[in-house]
Amino acid sequence: MGDAKARRIDDALSSLVNHLIPALSDEDEALTDERRDEGLDLARNILEGFVLSCVLLLVSNIKASYRHEGSAGASDINHISDLIKQKLWREDNAPDKAIRYSNLYSRLLTVPVVSQKWAMLYLLHQLAEPTSSGGIQSGALSPKPGSGQLPSNGHKEKQFDRKELSTAEQRRAKINVSSSGELDGEVSRDSLQRSSVRESQASNTPPPYERAIGHARKEISKNSAGSPTTNETPLITLSIIGKPSEAALLRELPYTLQGLSSTNMIFTSSSTINLPANLPLPLISLLHTLAEPSLLYRSLSEFVQSHEEALIGQSLLSAIGDELRSYLGLIATLEGEIRRAIASLDENEIQARMGKAGVTLKRCVIWTQEATMGLRLMNVMAEESKSKKGGQLISMIHAFSTSHGDPWINTFAERMLAHVTRPFYDMLRHWIYDGELLDPYREFFVIVPGSSDSGEKDGNPRPVAATSVWEDKYKMDNDMIPSIMSEELAKKVFLIGKSLNFIRYGCGESSWVDSYSKDASRELVYGDTATLETSIDKAYRTTMARLIHLMDDKFRLFDHLNALKKYLLLGQGDFIALLMESLAPNLDRPAGSQYRHTLTGQLEHAIRGSNAQYDSADVLRRLDARLLELSHGEIGWDVFTLEYKVDAPVDVVINAWASKQYLVVFNFLWRIKRVEFALGSTWRRCMTGARGVLASVDDKLGRDWKIARCCIAEMIHFVNQLQYYILFEVIEAGWNQLQAAIAKPGCTLDDLIGAHTKYLKAVTHKGLLGSTRSSITGNREDDFTSQLHYILKIMLAYKEAVDGLYSFSVAEFTRRQEFAAKFETRTAQNKSVLPDRDEDDLLPSSSTGARANPFGKNNPRDTNSPLPTILGVTDDQMLPSLRNRLRDLSMDFKTRVNNLLGDLMAQPDVDMKFLGVVMNFNDIYHPKRRRREGHRSEKDKEKRTPAHGEGSEGANMVGKESKEKR
């Protein structure tokens, strides 16, 4: 029967070999048979070796049971009993067998004759355990002395694994080699990151097993003899030719962990390592795990040796280098343990008793676990640092300590940050204590706009204007703010350094900065957040207080702001009134005839004649009169302006934009003052003449003068309300807000600049000088400015027309006086009848027809009135023209005011609405919204209205219109 079974096995093996080794088409049949015979012999050797090894393992485990101590026997007996009971439950869900076994086990425990109860149960359990090849299973059941597991004689790590000589594994290795012909046992760093364990494939043809079989037979014979004097029987591991033992792998492990090639583990590249292909899967898995730190170390070593210019990048390289040196220290300790363990054993015991010596591959994996995690984390940092620098690099490392739940990774990242942040804190210290930016590679969150990547390596910038020092010299790069610092704290840091730099170079107080740096400077390190915030807050308060003190006490910033309000915003009323009165005769002339020295002389006269003389000499010397660019047809009123000159460092607050805004507001207020002055002069003239000249012609011009006086009073009311609104409701209110903002504790120069800018914007916007965006075209339009400009031109034109009416009234009065004088003369001469040729000249204009001007063409009388410009026009033509002109201008004025009031009522600002209410307090106007499309028609009307400053040309236009009507 045994021969028949052997024959069946040979037939099955032959069929399998013939199937796996097919015949080639061009191969001789003898060669094919020879190859198949070799394969059949190899298969027989594999089966025989596996069976012998299983028997050997069973014998070794049975012998180990005799050495098991009695104190651990009870617990081991209970353990093997539980295993048998669990097996019975798994095979049959019915509890009958398990209950029957429990009864038998209880009876066995009560029998005192049987002393080796555990060995009997273990043997029965092993014989009943099925395996893939019909052998005996081991591994999980191998006990551990003194524990709840089976004893293994102290050599658990070196026990024989049944998978070591598995036919399936050997067949897999054979197939991989024969089919691919390549080395499949390579482990790469990328594969380590994708999977923790990957099966190693064979790269060489496995050697013959004759020696292993013979060695196994000898061991079986020794064990069968049973030497009673031997206390320990070493476990046998089949040593196959070409397959390294665990001891050999342990000897080479320190070199492998350092990234150096050895006999069995060779680095083919910086990211690939070749592992032995003929090892069992458990060892391959352990080597695969140990290969990860080796590959990571090689990669990090190359990264540390790379060239890096940035300071924080160099600090990262240094920190990684320190960690790698600590890793090498761990390897040195591990190498010492390995050598000690090997030296404590004989050559014959090394293979079997390495586990008892305390060093195995599995323990090496455990010892290097934390180091592997550190290398893995540093590798991630190194990869991400290639696209980051400065604060971004610090934020990347800091993210591991704040957003990761593993406390070990948190601690590791904190340790790395302590090294990496040293250059950053050194830059920070120089910035907040010296006001110098020592950042040659632009790694700090404060940058110099427009500078090269190299930056200002010397840290000493060239002297520039104060405005550039504060506004344009330094900017804050939000992308470079590290996450270890809040945005609010970063803004404080930015302001501290910028203020110190401004004090040093803009204010010329470098000695104070040096003294402050010497007294307040301290070392800044990572981790001491409370001390860092305290130092920054203290430096912030000290620096800001010093800067505001310098601007107020040394450079008189607030005195200059007050002077601008008094002179350019017309706050000094007596000075403005005297200046306008003294300049009026000169400014009525064409712009080309204006001379700056004349205007400057009148300005000095206005200063000496008003309270402005009591201001400081520094303020008065900055006030100057100048002319704007001349255009054709302009007069002196159009080109005159005042200028207030400021220099560094005051020009940081009163910059070019602010100076322009002051100029715009002054020109607008000056135009309003000019209209007020003109209307006031005409009103006084009319009121004075009403008791004399105008009363004499009241029968003919009384109605006209009544309408004219009402319209002039209406215009004066409009101008006064507009002027009051701008000077008090806008400028004074904005000035109070500016003073309140400046007086706040902790006010910085940026706060002061912002408050001043807000003040000017409020003045221009609420002062009807701001622009609005059209809802139709989307473009910005000077809405209120254009309306007010046109209304003021109408007022000046109406004033010129009233002056023409006054001249006409004076002419009429003179004519009547001459007629009366001639009548009295002739009456005295007893001439009752006048000659026909003189009668027309002496009769009043109301009783005559068309007559020539009584003064003649060259009469120099009343040359200042507009009447001489309309000579040649008869009285009947001139008076209706004047009346029509006054009526048209009055209607146009009311229409424009209605449109302006309608737009004011639609504004969201309460003060602007209040202006409309004050102007229309008696509801004499009917406000309405102006159509946006009506700009074109308004421009057409503007062409028919004389521009302000035309003087006596208004009467000429009256004559032209009368001619056109005729």
Side-chain angles (χ1 to χ4, degrees):
M1 183 175 178
D3 295 339
K5 184 176 180 180
R7 202 163 36 252
R8 285 197 302 272
I9 293 175
D10 289 339
D11 294 340
L13 285 177
S14 299
S15 300
L16 180 61
V17 170
N18 293 336
H19 177 71
L20 295 176
I21 306 176
L24 301 178
S25 58
D26 56 348
E27 188 181 19
D28 189 12
E29 185 177 356
L31 294 177
T32 302
D33 293 339
E34 184 179 355
R35 287 194 300 108
R36 288 178 176 175
D37 292 339
E38 291 178 356
L40 184 59
D41 294 338
L42 179 60
R44 288 172 180 170
N45 292 336
I46 291 173
L47 286 177
E48 185 179 1
F50 180 72
V51 172
L52 291 176
S53 62
C54 290
V55 174
L56 178 62
L57 180 62
L58 179 60
V59 173
S60 300
N61 288 336
I62 293 175
K63 288 180 66 64
S65 65
Y66 292 97
R67 296 190 304 270
H68 191 60
E69 296 179 1
S71 61
S75 61
D76 290 341
I77 291 175
N78 294 331
H79 174 67
I80 193 64
S81 176
D82 292 338
L83 292 178
I84 295 174
K85 190 181 298 184
Q86 292 174 6
K87 182 177 182 302
L88 293 175
W89 276 100
R90 288 196 305 268
E91 293 179 353
D92 190 1
N93 292 330
D96 299 338
K97 293 183 178 181
I99 295 174
R100 184 180 177 186
Y101 167 76
S102 299
N103 296 331
L104 294 175
Y105 176 68
S106 300
R107 294 171 61 185
L108 177 64
L109 293 177
T110 58
V111 177
V113 179
V114 182
S115 60
Q116 301 296 334
K117 298 181 180 66
W118 176 86
M120 294 175 56
L121 294 176
Y122 179 70
L123 177 61
L124 294 174
H125 182 271
Q126 290 290 345
L127 293 175
E129 188 70 26
T131 60
S132 58
S133 60
I136 298 176
Q137 184 182 9
S138 65
L141 296 175
S142 299
K144 190 173 184 180
S147 66
Q149 296 183 359
L150 304 181
S152 62
N153 197 23
H155 298 277
K156 177 176 181 292
E157 291 82 357
K158 297 300 293 179
Q159 285 190 7
F160 181 83
D161 195 324
R162 69 180 180 85
K163 295 182 180 179
E164 185 177 0
L165 294 177
S166 172
T167 56
E169 180 185 348
Q170 300 296 340
R171 188 182 303 114
R172 188 186 311 117
K174 176 78 174 180
I175 293 171
N176 289 339
V177 173
S178 61
S179 60
S180 62
E182 298 176 353
L183 294 176
D184 297 330
E186 295 184 354
V187 178
S188 64
R189 182 161 54 89
D190 297 333
S191 65
L192 288 170
Q193 297 174 356
R194 290 191 298 266
S195 61
S196 61
V197 177
R198 186 176 62 185
E199 291 186 2
S200 175
Q201 299 178 348
S203 60
N204 299 314
T205 303
Y209 289 90
E210 286 80 5
R211 293 186 180 181
I213 296 171
H215 181 71
R217 288 173 177 171
K218 292 179 181 180
E219 291 297 330
I220 292 174
S221 61
K222 290 181 181 179
N223 292 331
S224 61
S227 176
T229 59
T230 304
N231 295 329
E232 295 183 357
T233 302
L235 298 179
I236 305 300
T237 300
L238 299 181
S239 178
I240 303 172
I241 294 177
K243 177 167 60 174
S245 63
E246 186 174 9
L249 296 175
L250 284 172
R251 287 192 185 97
E252 299 174 356
L253 183 60
Y255 302 99
T256 304
L257 292 176
Q258 298 179 61
L260 303 175
S261 298
S262 59
T263 304
N264 297 299
M265 290 175 282
I266 302 174
F267 289 92
T268 58
S269 66
S270 60
S271 60
T272 308
I273 181 174
N274 278 350
L275 300 180
N278 51 0
L279 292 176
L281 285 180
L283 285 180
I284 290 294
S285 176
L286 294 176
L287 292 179
H288 194 283
T289 306
L290 292 171
E292 181 180 5
S294 306
L295 295 172
L296 292 174
Y297 177 80
R298 285 175 64 94
S299 176
L300 290 173
S301 298
E302 294 178 359
F303 176 74
V304 170
Q305 294 173 3
S306 63
H307 178 67
E308 177 65 41
E309 293 183 352
L311 298 180
I312 297 180
Q314 293 179 13
S315 180
L316 176 63
L317 295 181
S318 176
I320 293 178
D322 292 342
E323 294 296 330
L324 292 182
R325 283 188 287 273
S326 300
Y327 170 75
L328 292 178
L330 173 64
I331 295 176
T333 303
L334 184 62
E335 184 179 10
E337 291 293 328
I338 293 173
R339 290 184 177 181
R340 181 190 59 77
I342 294 176
S344 64
L345 299 176
D346 296 336
E347 290 293 334
N348 298 328
E349 296 178 342
I350 290 177
Q351 187 67 22
R353 301 184 59 187
M354 282 298 298
K356 188 174 181 179
V359 179
T360 60
L361 289 175
K362 186 179 294 185
R363 289 181 181 176
C364 291
V365 169
I366 296 174
W367 290 339
T368 59
Q369 185 176 5
E370 287 190 359
T372 303
M373 291 176 61
L375 293 173
R376 193 181 301 153
L377 186 59
M378 288 189 293
N379 183 67
V380 174
M381 294 178 183
E383 291 295 330
E384 293 189 7
S385 66
K386 295 178 181 178
S387 59
K388 293 178 173 59
K389 69 174 185 177
Q392 297 174 344
L393 191 59
I394 296 175
S395 299
M396 181 267 295
I397 301 175
H398 186 250
F400 288 101
S401 64
T402 56
S403 60
H404 204 284
D406 192 340
W408 187 89
I409 292 181
N410 190 334
T411 304
F412 186 87
E414 292 287 332
R415 188 168 67 250
M416 292 287 292
L417 281 174
H419 294 276
V420 175
T421 55
R422 287 177 183 174
F424 174 81
Y425 281 105
D426 188 53
M427 299 176 197
L428 181 63
R429 182 176 60 83
H430 282 283
W431 178 250
I432 66 174
Y433 292 126
D434 298 330
E436 299 291 349
L437 181 61
L438 300 181
D439 182 22
Y441 303 105
R442 303 192 70 171
E443 298 177 285
F444 203 55
F445 59 87
V446 178
I447 61 174
V448 180
S451 64
S452 60
D453 293 338
S454 60
E456 296 176 357
K457 295 184 179 181
D458 55 356
N460 297 319
R462 292 183 295 273
V464 292
T467 304
S468 300
V469 169
W470 185 260
E471 294 290 341
D472 303 326
K473 184 177 180 180
Y474 296 112
K475 297 292 183 182
M476 189 167 68
D477 187 0
N478 293 327
D479 295 335
M480 283 294 177
I481 299 177
S483 57
I484 60 176
M485 181 179 295
S486 64
E487 186 174 356
E488 181 181 0
L489 192 63
K491 289 181 180 179
K492 283 187 177 181
V493 170
F494 176 67
L495 283 177
I496 291 170
K498 189 168 69 168
S499 300
L500 287 174
N501 192 275
F502 180 74
I503 292 173
R504 181 189 295 272
Y505 297 106
C507 302
E509 292 285 329
S510 58
S511 59
W512 182 88
V513 176
D514 295 337
S515 175
Y516 163 76
S517 175
K518 183 178 180 180
D519 296 338
S521 180
R522 64 181 60 188
E523 187 72 21
L524 301 177
V525 294
Y526 174 76
D528 195 359
T529 307
T531 304
L532 175 64
E533 292 182 355
T534 302
S535 301
I536 291 177
D537 290 340
K538 184 177 179 181
Y540 180 78
R541 290 192 299 268
T542 304
T543 307
M544 295 300 108
R546 178 63 181 177
L547 181 57
I548 296 299
H549 173 73
L550 288 175
M551 297 298 290
D552 182 21
D553 186 65
K554 182 177 180 180
F555 300 105
R556 301 292 179 183
L557 172 63
F558 303 118
D559 292 345
H560 295 312
L561 291 176
N562 192 28
L564 286 168
K565 175 179 173 291
K566 291 194 325 185
Y567 298 118
L568 294 190
L569 301 184
L570 309 190
Q572 190 75 25
D574 57 341
F575 165 77
I576 297 298
L578 184 57
L579 179 64
M580 184 165 290
E581 185 177 354
S582 61
L583 286 176
N586 291 328
L587 297 181
D588 285 333
R589 294 197 298 266
S593 62
Q594 304 295 326
Y595 298 99
R596 188 170 181 180
H597 65 273
T598 304
L599 302 178
T600 305
Q602 296 297 334
L603 176 63
E604 294 291 336
H605 168 71
I607 291 174
R608 290 192 301 270
S610 64
N611 288 329
Q613 62 181 320
Y614 300 110
D615 281 340
S616 64
D618 180 63
V619 170
L620 295 178
R621 72 177 177 83
R622 297 175 184 273
L623 190 62
D624 191 16
R626 68 185 184 92
L627 299 174
L628 302 176
E629 295 182 1
L630 304 180
S631 299
H632 178 69
E634 290 183 338
I635 61 174
W637 292 101
D638 301 324
V639 296
F640 172 78
T641 187
L642 286 181
E643 181 184 23
Y644 190 86
K645 300 176 182 178
V646 295
D647 48 15
V650 180
D651 59 352
V652 171
V653 180
I654 310 171
N655 50 29
W657 176 85
S659 300
K660 182 179 179 181
Q661 293 300 110
Y662 278 114
L663 182 61
V664 170
V665 176
F666 172 79
N667 290 335
F668 179 64
L669 293 175
W670 182 255
R671 189 179 298 118
I672 296 175
K673 277 289 185 182
R674 178 227 174 158
V675 173
E676 181 193 23
F677 178 79
L679 292 177
S681 301
T682 302
W683 179 261
R684 289 191 300 270
R685 189 177 185 184
C686 293
M687 291 299 101
T688 303
R691 295 187 295 269
V693 177
L694 300 182
S696 302
V697 294
D698 190 61
D699 57 336
K700 182 178 180 180
L701 301 174
R703 177 178 173 82
D704 297 328
W705 276 111
K706 183 177 181 180
I707 296 174
R709 282 194 295 267
C710 290
C711 189
I712 289 177
E714 187 177 342
M715 292 180 179
I716 290 175
H717 170 74
F718 178 87
V719 170
N720 288 337
Q721 293 301 326
L722 179 62
Q723 191 173 209
Y724 165 81
Y725 166 75
I726 296 176
L727 292 179
F728 294 95
E729 298 294 337
V730 176
I731 295 178
E732 284 295 334
W735 177 256
N736 293 334
Q737 294 178 1
L738 175 62
Q739 287 184 323
I742 293 174
K744 287 182 179 180
C747 178
T748 65
L749 187 58
D750 272 339
D751 296 336
L752 200 154
I753 295 173
H756 184 248
T757 303
K758 182 180 178 181
Y759 163 68
L760 289 179
K761 288 183 178 179
V763 169
T764 54
H765 172 68
K766 297 176 66 174
L768 309 180
L769 291 174
S771 58
T772 58
R773 189 175 297 277
S774 173
S775 59
I776 300 175
T777 62
N779 299 325
R780 301 191 71 85
E781 303 173 345
D782 292 333
D783 191 10
F784 294 109
T785 305
S786 60
Q787 292 185 68
L788 289 173
H789 178 69
Y790 197 80
I791 290 174
L792 295 177
K793 287 202 300 183
I794 292 174
M795 292 180 181
L796 291 175
Y798 194 84
K799 180 256 182 189
E800 298 295 339
V802 171
D803 288 344
L805 181 62
Y806 186 84
S807 298
F808 181 82
S809 300
V810 171
E812 181 67 21
F813 172 76
T814 305
R815 189 182 300 112
R816 290 186 181 186
Q817 291 292 329
E818 289 179 352
F819 175 77
K822 288 183 180 182
F823 184 79
E824 291 177 359
T825 303
R826 289 182 181 275
T827 302
Q829 294 176 359
N830 295 323
K831 292 182 180 180
S832 59
V833 181
L834 294 174
D836 294 338
R837 58 185 178 83
D838 296 332
E839 186 178 2
D840 294 336
D841 294 335
L842 297 178
L843 291 177
S845 60
S846 60
S847 61
T848 60
R851 299 190 305 271
N853 187 12
F855 300 105
K857 183 179 293 187
N858 297 322
N859 195 332
R861 197 169 182 177
D862 199 10
T863 56
N864 291 329
S865 70
L867 189 60
T869 63
I870 56 175
L871 295 176
V873 180
T874 61
D875 294 341
D876 292 337
Q877 296 172 348
M878 183 170 56
L879 184 59
S881 298
L882 287 173
R883 288 172 176 171
N884 292 334
R885 178 66 173 165
L886 291 172
R887 184 179 65 253
D888 291 343
L889 290 174
S890 177
M891 293 178 61
D892 198 6
F893 170 75
K894 291 184 178 180
T895 301
R896 294 289 176 176
V897 173
N898 285 331
N899 292 335
L900 176 64
L901 295 180
D903 290 344
L904 287 174
M905 297 301 293
Q907 292 298 314
D909 190 88
V910 179
D911 294 332
M912 298 177 73
K913 287 184 178 180
F914 178 73
L915 174 62
V917 173
V918 171
M919 287 183 175
N920 192 24
F921 69 97
N922 55 358
D923 292 334
I924 191 174
Y925 300 109
H926 302 285
K928 59 181 179 180
R929 291 299 304 275
R930 180 172 59 93
R931 293 183 179 180
R932 298 297 179 185
E933 297 84 359
H935 290 306
R936 188 179 301 276
S937 61
E938 291 170 6
K939 292 180 180 179
D940 295 338
K941 291 181 181 179
E942 184 178 353
K943 293 179 180 178
R944 299 195 303 269
T945 305
H948 66 282
E950 291 178 348
S952 60
E953 293 179 5
N956 284 335
M957 185 166 290
V958 174
K960 292 180 182 179
E961 290 182 353
S962 62
K963 290 180 181 179
E964 291 175 358
K965 290 181 180 179
R966 288 187 296 176

